[in-house]
């Protein structure tokens, strides 16, 4: 019963007026509801809601088409359907180049055991614009991929970078990270306090 009518507003940008169309109440509801379903691990319901949203008449706003598709890929990933997740992520990154999208695709390939693709998209994520402190999980995952490939020295450097970022941000350093560093640390320069 929500309205599918879109409103327009006028905004000023660099001394120029610009018309901006806002999403309808219905589109906003689908965006909020699908996000809530994702965050509460109701993946089947989230998939259905995103599919419905993608069938809405008219155009979607604020890149919602991409965000609905991303939620679908995340749901497939969480329900161990990485083939469909990879397919969707591959389509998304043709349109949108955010580092976290490359990271999520890299993670799919890593769990599937496709290390060459995992490292390729992991590198792409690492080199795409974004604050390094946001990328600690990515950097650790790249270390995991490198370790699986037998490149222990480079893996160790990635783990140490994660540790340094966590220290700089005053974040906890979990034991699993210490456990990854210790066997690779032949110089004993890693303080585990």
């Amino acid at each position: 019963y929500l309205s599918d009518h879109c409103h327009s507003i006028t905004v000023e940008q660099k001394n120029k007026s610009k018309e901006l169309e806002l999403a309808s109440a219905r589109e906003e509801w689908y965006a909020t509801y699908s996000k809530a379903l994702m965050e509460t691990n109701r993946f089947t319901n989230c998939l259905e809601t995103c599919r419905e949203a993608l069938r809405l008449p008219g155009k979607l706003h604020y890149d919602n088409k991409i965000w609905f598709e991303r939620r679908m890929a995340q749901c497939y990933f969480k329900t161990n359907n990485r083939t469909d997740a990879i397919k969707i992520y591959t389509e998304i990154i043709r349109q949108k180049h955010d580092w976290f999208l490359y990271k999520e695709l890299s993670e799919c390939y890593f769990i599937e055991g496709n290390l060459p693709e995992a490292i390729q998209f992991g590198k792409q994520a690492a080199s795409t614009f974004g604050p390094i402190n946001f990328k600690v999980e990515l950097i650790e995952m790249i270390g995991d991929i490198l370790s699986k490939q037998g490149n222990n020295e480079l893996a160790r450097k990635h783990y140490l970078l994660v540790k340094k970022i966590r220290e700089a941000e005053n974040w906890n350093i979990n034991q699993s990270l210490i456990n990854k560093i210790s066997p690779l640390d032949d110089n004993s320069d890693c303080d585990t306090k």
Side-chain angles (χ1 to χ4, degrees):
Y1 300 107
L2 292 171
S3 171
D4 61 359
H5 179 71
C6 298
H7 298 282
S8 293
I9 60 169
T10 304
V11 294
E12 292 285 327
Q13 267 186 339
K14 299 180 182 178
N15 296 327
K16 292 182 182 177
S17 293
K18 181 180 175 183
E19 281 289 307
L20 182 66
E21 188 175 82
L22 303 177
S24 67
R26 182 179 295 169
E27 182 180 344
E28 290 285 355
W29 180 85
Y30 275 102
T32 303
Y33 186 55
S34 63
K35 185 176 181 181
L37 290 170
M38 181 71 203
E39 290 178 0
T40 56
N41 300 327
R42 296 173 58 196
F43 305 122
T44 303
N45 297 65
C46 184
L47 279 166
E48 291 168 9
T49 301
C50 289
R51 283 189 196 109
E52 271 181 46
L54 290 168
R55 289 191 300 264
L56 289 175
K59 72 173 188 172
L60 295 172
H61 301 77
Y62 325 128
D63 287 331
N64 273 338
K65 178 183 183 302
I66 290 170
W67 303 130
F68 288 131
E69 290 171 347
R70 178 186 181 216
R71 280 193 200 107
M72 290 175 67
Q74 290 171 318
C75 289
Y76 284 132
F77 177 81
K78 294 287 189 178
T79 57
N80 298 320
N81 182 349
R82 282 175 284 283
T83 302
D84 285 337
I86 288 169
K87 192 181 309 180
I88 292 172
Y89 279 124
T90 302
E91 283 299 312
I92 291 172
I93 64 170
R94 288 186 180 137
Q95 306 161 58
K96 193 119 177 97
H97 308 288
D98 293 310
W99 71 268
F100 53 86
L101 296 170
Y102 291 113
K103 184 249 185 202
E104 291 168 7
L105 179 55
S106 175
E107 190 173 14
C108 288
Y109 280 119
F110 180 48
I111 291 179
E112 286 292 296
N114 186 337
L115 300 182
E117 292 292 324
I119 198 70
Q120 175 191 336
F121 287 107
K123 286 183 202 175
Q124 184 68 40
S127 63
T128 300
F129 177 78
I132 194 166
N133 60 333
F134 287 16
K135 297 181 180 184
V136 289
E137 290 176 0
L138 166 66
I139 297 165
E140 187 171 349
M141 182 182 68
I142 292 171
D144 294 343
I145 297 166
L146 291 165
S147 179
K148 285 241 188 226
Q149 290 179 323
N151 193 339
N152 292 335
E153 181 54 30
L154 197 50
R156 177 181 167 274
K157 289 177 181 177
H158 280 75
Y159 297 144
L160 289 173
L161 177 57
V162 170
K163 183 176 181 284
K164 289 291 182 195
I165 294 168
R166 289 189 164 282
E167 288 171 346
E169 296 291 333
N170 293 315
W171 295 340
N172 288 336
I173 299 170
N174 60 33
Q175 190 59 44
S176 68
L177 179 62
I178 299 302
N179 293 344
K180 291 175 185 180
I181 295 170
S182 295
L184 304 175
D185 190 15
D186 51 11
N187 297 328
S188 299
D189 64 346
C190 175
D191 183 11
T192 59
K193 291 181 186 175

